[in-house]
Amino acid sequence: MRIATWNVNSLGVRLGHVEEWLSYASPDVLCLQETKLSDGAFPHERFAALGYESAHNGPGRWNGVAILSKVGLDQARSDFSEPSPELAEGRFLIARCGPMDVVSVYVPNGRSLESEHYEIKLGWLRALGREVAAQRAAGSAPLAVCGDFNVAPEDKDVWDPAQLVGSTHVSVPEREALESIVSLGMVDAFRQLHPEDRLYSWWDYRAGRFHKHEGMRIDLVLLSTDVADKAGFALIDRFARRQKQPSDHAPVLVDVEL
DNA sequence: ATGGTAGAGCATCTA
Protein backbone atom coordinates (compact mmCIF):
# COMPACT_ATOMS: atom_id res chain seq x y z
CA MET A 1 0.00 0.00 0.00
CA ARG A 2 1.46 3.33 -1.09
CA ILE A 3 0.56 6.26 1.18
CA ALA A 4 1.44 9.81 0.24
CA THR A 5 1.02 13.34 1.56
CA TRP A 6 1.33 16.67 -0.24
CA ASN A 7 0.68 20.25 0.79
CA VAL A 8 -0.41 21.66 -2.58
CA ASN A 9 -0.80 25.35 -1.58
CA SER A 10 -4.11 25.78 -3.44
CA LEU A 11 -5.68 22.82 -5.20
CA GLY A 12 -7.35 25.30 -7.53
CA VAL A 13 -3.94 26.18 -8.94
CA ARG A 14 -2.43 22.71 -8.55
CA LEU A 15 -5.22 20.35 -9.68
CA GLY A 16 -3.40 19.54 -12.91
CA HIS A 17 -0.19 18.88 -10.99
CA VAL A 18 -2.02 16.50 -8.64
CA GLU A 19 -3.73 14.62 -11.46
CA GLU A 20 -0.41 14.18 -13.25
CA TRP A 21 1.31 13.11 -10.03
CA LEU A 22 -1.43 10.56 -9.26
CA SER A 23 -0.96 9.06 -12.71
CA TYR A 24 2.78 8.49 -12.35
CA ALA A 25 3.25 7.99 -8.60
CA SER A 26 0.04 5.97 -8.32
CA PRO A 27 -0.43 6.13 -4.55
CA ASP A 28 -3.23 4.07 -3.01
CA VAL A 29 -3.93 6.95 -0.63
CA LEU A 30 -3.01 10.61 -1.01
CA CYS A 31 -3.50 13.13 1.79
CA LEU A 32 -3.66 16.77 0.67
CA GLN A 33 -3.23 19.95 2.67
CA GLU A 34 -3.89 23.62 1.93
CA THR A 35 -6.48 22.96 -0.74
CA LYS A 36 -7.85 26.47 -0.03
CA LEU A 37 -11.23 25.21 -1.20
CA SER A 38 -14.67 24.98 0.37
CA ASP A 39 -16.19 21.51 0.54
CA GLY A 40 -18.61 22.43 -2.25
CA ALA A 41 -15.78 23.40 -4.59
CA PHE A 42 -13.74 20.21 -4.12
CA PRO A 43 -13.33 18.37 -7.46
CA HIS A 44 -14.42 14.88 -6.34
CA GLU A 45 -15.38 13.87 -9.89
CA ARG A 46 -11.96 14.73 -11.34
CA PHE A 47 -10.36 12.30 -8.89
CA ALA A 48 -13.12 9.72 -9.38
CA ALA A 49 -12.16 9.72 -13.07
CA LEU A 50 -8.71 8.49 -11.96
CA GLY A 51 -10.18 5.83 -9.70
CA TYR A 52 -10.05 7.69 -6.39
CA GLU A 53 -12.76 8.22 -3.84
CA SER A 54 -12.25 11.44 -1.91
CA ALA A 55 -13.25 13.33 1.23
CA HIS A 56 -12.52 16.97 2.02
CA ASN A 57 -12.65 19.34 4.98
CA GLY A 58 -12.14 22.99 4.18
CA PRO A 59 -13.69 26.37 4.96
CA GLY A 60 -12.72 27.98 1.62
CA ARG A 61 -10.02 30.61 1.34
CA TRP A 62 -7.52 29.04 3.78
CA ASN A 63 -6.40 25.61 4.97
CA GLY A 64 -8.39 22.63 3.74
CA VAL A 65 -7.39 18.96 3.95
CA ALA A 66 -8.42 15.99 1.84
CA ILE A 67 -7.95 12.24 1.54
CA LEU A 68 -8.02 10.45 -1.81
CA SER A 69 -8.14 6.66 -1.86
CA LYS A 70 -8.44 3.91 -4.42
CA VAL A 71 -8.63 1.20 -1.74
CA GLY A 72 -11.92 2.42 -0.24
CA LEU A 73 -12.80 5.45 1.85
CA ASP A 74 -15.27 5.09 4.71
CA GLN A 75 -16.26 6.73 7.98
CA ALA A 76 -14.76 10.09 7.04
CA ARG A 77 -14.75 12.46 10.03
CA SER A 78 -13.47 16.03 10.10
CA ASP A 79 -13.84 16.99 13.77
CA PHE A 80 -11.75 15.97 16.71
CA SER A 81 -13.56 13.51 18.98
CA GLU A 82 -13.67 16.19 21.66
CA PRO A 83 -14.60 19.15 19.49
CA SER A 84 -13.39 22.64 20.22
CA PRO A 85 -14.39 25.47 17.92
CA GLU A 86 -11.05 27.22 17.51
CA LEU A 87 -9.54 23.93 16.38
CA ALA A 88 -12.08 23.38 13.60
CA GLU A 89 -10.54 25.18 10.68
CA GLY A 90 -10.18 22.60 7.93
CA ARG A 91 -7.06 21.06 9.38
CA PHE A 92 -8.09 17.50 10.28
CA LEU A 93 -9.69 14.60 8.44
CA ILE A 94 -9.71 10.89 9.24
CA ALA A 95 -11.07 7.99 7.21
CA ARG A 96 -10.74 4.24 6.92
CA CYS A 97 -8.88 3.46 3.72
CA GLY A 98 -8.75 -0.27 3.10
CA PRO A 99 -6.83 -1.88 5.94
CA MET A 100 -5.71 1.39 7.56
CA ASP A 101 -7.08 4.42 9.33
CA VAL A 102 -5.61 7.45 7.62
CA VAL A 103 -5.42 11.01 8.97
CA SER A 104 -4.64 14.11 6.91
CA VAL A 105 -3.44 17.03 9.07
CA TYR A 106 -2.47 20.62 8.47
CA VAL A 107 -0.94 21.79 11.74
CA PRO A 108 -1.20 25.56 12.40
CA ASN A 109 1.94 27.48 11.40
CA GLY A 110 2.31 29.36 14.67
CA ARG A 111 3.60 32.55 13.00
CA SER A 112 6.13 33.48 15.72
CA LEU A 113 7.08 32.36 19.22
CA GLU A 114 5.43 35.48 20.68
CA SER A 115 2.18 35.09 18.76
CA GLU A 116 -1.05 33.80 20.27
CA HIS A 117 -1.09 31.54 17.21
CA TYR A 118 1.98 29.78 18.58
CA GLU A 119 0.02 28.73 21.70
CA ILE A 120 -2.85 27.67 19.44
CA LYS A 121 -0.40 25.53 17.49
CA LEU A 122 0.82 23.81 20.66
CA GLY A 123 -2.78 23.27 21.80
CA TRP A 124 -3.68 21.86 18.41
CA LEU A 125 -0.81 19.37 18.58
CA ARG A 126 -1.95 18.31 22.06
CA ALA A 127 -5.48 17.78 20.72
CA LEU A 128 -4.07 15.73 17.85
CA GLY A 129 -2.18 13.65 20.41
CA ARG A 130 -5.43 12.91 22.26
CA GLU A 131 -6.99 11.94 18.93
CA VAL A 132 -4.14 9.56 18.11
CA ALA A 133 -4.26 8.09 21.62
CA ALA A 134 -8.01 7.48 21.31
CA GLN A 135 -7.54 5.94 17.90
CA ARG A 136 -4.80 3.61 19.14
CA ALA A 137 -6.93 2.69 22.18
CA ALA A 138 -9.90 1.88 19.95
CA GLY A 139 -7.12 0.01 18.32
CA SER A 140 -8.52 -2.05 15.48
CA ALA A 141 -6.76 -0.84 12.34
CA PRO A 142 -3.18 0.31 11.82
CA LEU A 143 -2.93 4.09 11.69
CA ALA A 144 -1.16 6.55 9.40
CA VAL A 145 -1.05 10.23 10.38
CA CYS A 146 0.08 12.19 7.35
CA GLY A 147 0.49 15.84 6.60
CA ASP A 148 2.15 19.18 7.05
CA PHE A 149 3.14 19.23 10.73
CA ASN A 150 4.87 22.62 10.48
CA VAL A 151 7.50 21.18 12.83
CA ALA A 152 10.98 19.99 11.83
CA PRO A 153 11.60 17.06 14.20
CA GLU A 154 15.38 17.50 14.54
CA ASP A 155 18.13 19.94 13.63
CA LYS A 156 19.15 17.70 10.74
CA ASP A 157 15.70 18.36 9.25
CA VAL A 158 16.58 22.02 8.55
CA TRP A 159 19.26 23.57 6.34
CA ASP A 160 20.74 25.88 8.97
CA PRO A 161 19.72 25.42 12.62
CA ALA A 162 21.72 28.51 13.67
CA GLN A 163 19.73 30.75 11.35
CA LEU A 164 16.45 29.44 12.76
CA VAL A 165 17.09 29.94 16.47
CA GLY A 166 14.08 31.79 17.87
CA SER A 167 11.82 30.77 14.99
CA THR A 168 8.80 28.52 14.88
CA HIS A 169 9.07 24.96 13.50
CA VAL A 170 12.23 24.20 15.52
CA SER A 171 11.42 25.33 19.07
CA VAL A 172 11.67 22.86 21.94
CA PRO A 173 7.94 22.98 22.85
CA GLU A 174 6.93 22.28 19.25
CA ARG A 175 9.37 19.39 18.98
CA GLU A 176 8.24 18.01 22.35
CA ALA A 177 4.60 18.24 21.26
CA LEU A 178 5.43 16.28 18.11
CA GLU A 179 7.53 13.79 20.05
CA SER A 180 4.68 13.20 22.50
CA ILE A 181 2.49 12.17 19.55
CA VAL A 182 5.20 9.88 18.19
CA SER A 183 5.68 8.36 21.64
CA LEU A 184 2.06 7.16 21.60
CA GLY A 185 3.25 4.40 19.29
CA MET A 186 4.02 6.04 15.97
CA VAL A 187 7.12 6.07 13.76
CA ASP A 188 8.38 8.80 11.40
CA ALA A 189 8.43 6.40 8.46
CA PHE A 190 10.57 8.45 6.09
CA ARG A 191 13.21 9.11 8.74
CA GLN A 192 13.31 5.44 9.70
CA LEU A 193 14.39 4.59 6.16
CA HIS A 194 16.56 7.67 5.52
CA PRO A 195 18.72 8.68 8.50
CA GLU A 196 20.81 11.20 6.54
CA ASP A 197 20.52 15.00 6.64
CA ARG A 198 19.65 17.48 3.87
CA LEU A 199 16.37 15.76 3.02
CA TYR A 200 13.67 18.40 2.92
CA SER A 201 9.99 18.56 1.94
CA TRP A 202 9.45 22.34 1.95
CA TRP A 203 11.41 25.27 0.59
CA ASP A 204 10.33 28.90 0.97
CA TYR A 205 9.38 30.47 -2.35
CA ARG A 206 11.47 33.47 -1.36
CA ALA A 207 15.18 34.13 -1.58
CA GLY A 208 15.90 31.28 -3.98
CA ARG A 209 15.63 28.74 -1.19
CA PHE A 210 14.78 25.80 -3.42
CA HIS A 211 17.58 26.56 -5.86
CA LYS A 212 20.03 26.68 -2.93
CA HIS A 213 18.46 23.59 -1.35
CA GLU A 214 17.70 25.48 1.84
CA GLY A 215 14.57 23.79 3.16
CA MET A 216 13.00 21.88 6.01
CA ARG A 217 11.48 18.44 6.42
CA ILE A 218 8.08 19.24 7.93
CA ASP A 219 5.80 16.91 5.93
CA LEU A 220 5.61 13.57 7.70
CA VAL A 221 4.02 10.15 7.47
CA LEU A 222 3.66 8.72 10.97
CA LEU A 223 2.91 4.99 10.94
CA SER A 224 1.70 3.05 13.96
CA THR A 225 4.35 0.73 15.32
CA ASP A 226 2.36 -2.40 14.39
CA VAL A 227 3.04 -1.71 10.69
CA ALA A 228 6.08 0.60 10.77
CA ASP A 229 8.51 -2.26 10.15
CA LYS A 230 6.54 -3.09 7.00
CA ALA A 231 7.54 0.23 5.43
CA GLY A 232 10.08 -0.75 2.80
CA PHE A 233 10.40 2.36 0.61
CA ALA A 234 10.02 6.09 1.16
CA LEU A 235 10.62 9.07 -1.10
CA ILE A 236 10.35 12.83 -1.20
CA ASP A 237 9.54 13.73 -4.80
CA ARG A 238 11.66 16.81 -5.40
CA PHE A 239 10.81 16.73 -9.12
CA ALA A 240 7.32 17.91 -8.21
CA ARG A 241 8.86 20.93 -6.49
CA ARG A 242 11.00 21.72 -9.51
CA GLN A 243 8.29 21.94 -12.16
CA LYS A 244 6.52 25.03 -13.43
CA GLN A 245 4.27 26.83 -10.90
CA PRO A 246 5.07 24.37 -8.10
CA SER A 247 3.72 24.14 -4.58
CA ASP A 248 6.35 25.14 -2.03
CA HIS A 249 6.08 21.55 -0.68
CA ALA A 250 7.10 18.27 -2.31
CA PRO A 251 5.02 15.08 -2.03
CA VAL A 252 6.22 12.47 0.47
CA LEU A 253 5.38 8.83 -0.14
CA VAL A 254 5.81 5.62 1.83
CA ASP A 255 5.21 2.03 0.73
CA VAL A 256 3.86 -0.28 3.44
CA GLU A 257 3.65 -4.00 2.74
CA LEU A 258 0.18 -4.84 3.97
C1' DA B 1 15.91 44.67 10.72
C1' DT B 2 13.99 43.62 6.47
C1' DG B 3 13.20 41.40 2.36
C1' DG B 4 12.46 37.94 -0.71
C1' DT B 5 7.55 34.91 -3.50
C1' DA B 6 3.10 32.89 -3.91
C1' DG B 7 -2.04 32.50 -3.29
C1' DA B 8 -6.72 34.34 -2.14
C1' DG B 9 -9.04 38.15 -3.65
C1' DC B 10 -9.14 43.17 -4.27
C1' DA B 11 -7.08 45.41 0.98
C1' DT B 12 -4.40 43.04 3.05
C1' DC B 13 -3.77 38.49 5.32
C1' DT B 14 -1.32 34.07 5.51
C1' DA B 15 2.52 31.30 4.86
Side-chain angles (χ1 to χ4, degrees):
Chain A
M1 180 156 158
R2 172 163 290 179
I3 302 171
T5 184
W6 194 6
N7 179 325
V8 292
N9 187 22
S10 170
L11 186 58
V13 173
R14 235 69 68 187
L15 178 58
H17 297 64
V18 174
E19 289 173 321
E20 183 186 15
W21 195 80
L22 286 171
S23 72
Y24 76 75
S26 196
D28 294 291
V29 175
L30 174 61
C31 296
L32 298 175
Q33 299 85 36
E34 280 207 270
T35 63
K36 299 186 179 179
L37 296 177
S38 61
D39 291 341
F42 189 82
H44 294 281
E45 67 295 331
R46 295 282 289 266
F47 296 126
L50 298 173
Y52 290 88
E53 295 178 77
S54 53
H56 181 258
N57 170 29
R61 194 157 187 187
W62 290 305
N63 309 336
V65 293
I67 300 174
L68 318 184
S69 172
K70 58 181 182 185
V71 293
L73 197 158
D74 301 290
Q75 304 161 43
R77 167 167 65 84
S78 57
D79 294 309
F80 286 126
S81 302
E82 33 173 321
S84 128
E86 76 273 19
L87 301 179
E89 303 175 299
R91 297 181 177 277
F92 175 87
L93 183 62
I94 182 169
R96 172 67 60 86
C97 300
M100 297 198 71
D101 285 323
V102 176
V103 180
S104 182
V105 296
Y106 176 46
V107 176
N109 174 286
R111 303 191 192 182
S112 73
L113 301 192
E114 303 75 30
S115 168
E116 60 180 334
H117 294 274
Y118 178 73
E119 294 303 324
I120 290 170
K121 178 181 194 173
L122 295 176
W124 201 94
L125 284 165
R126 284 193 291 273
L128 178 61
R130 291 193 294 275
E131 197 63 46
V132 170
Q135 202 63 30
R136 293 311 291 152
S140 42
L143 178 66
V145 183
C146 312
D148 178 357
F149 284 76
N150 271 316
V151 179
E154 301 177 83
D155 275 356
K156 68 179 176 181
D157 294 309
V158 305
W159 81 96
D160 184 358
Q163 195 173 134
L164 292 166
V165 170
S167 302
T168 58
H169 296 62
V170 298
S171 73
V172 170
E174 287 166 276
R175 284 175 167 172
E176 285 181 348
L178 175 60
E179 178 53 34
S180 73
I181 294 171
V182 170
S183 70
L184 295 168
M186 308 297 291
V187 173
D188 179 346
F190 180 87
R191 179 52 83 201
Q192 180 182 48
L193 291 163
H194 298 281
E196 61 270 35
D197 63 4
R198 292 175 52 76
L199 296 170
Y200 310 133
S201 65
W202 170 86
W203 301 260
D204 199 312
Y205 284 122
R206 296 168 287 188
R209 295 275 194 232
F210 181 70
H211 179 69
K212 293 184 277 190
H213 196 54
E214 296 178 345
M216 297 189 196
R217 194 178 66 91
I218 57 178
D219 299 274
L220 310 177
V221 174
L222 304 183
L223 292 177
S224 53
T225 49
D226 51 340
V227 292
D229 64 344
K230 301 186 194 312
F233 177 80
L235 174 79
I236 299 174
D237 183 4
R238 241 173 344 119
F239 290 103
R241 179 62 176 82
R242 195 155 73 191
Q243 66 192 313
K244 217 172 250 186
Q245 244 195 321
S247 168
D248 45 354
H249 297 251
V252 179
L253 71 81
V254 174
D255 288 346
V256 189
E257 288 152 41
L258 282 183

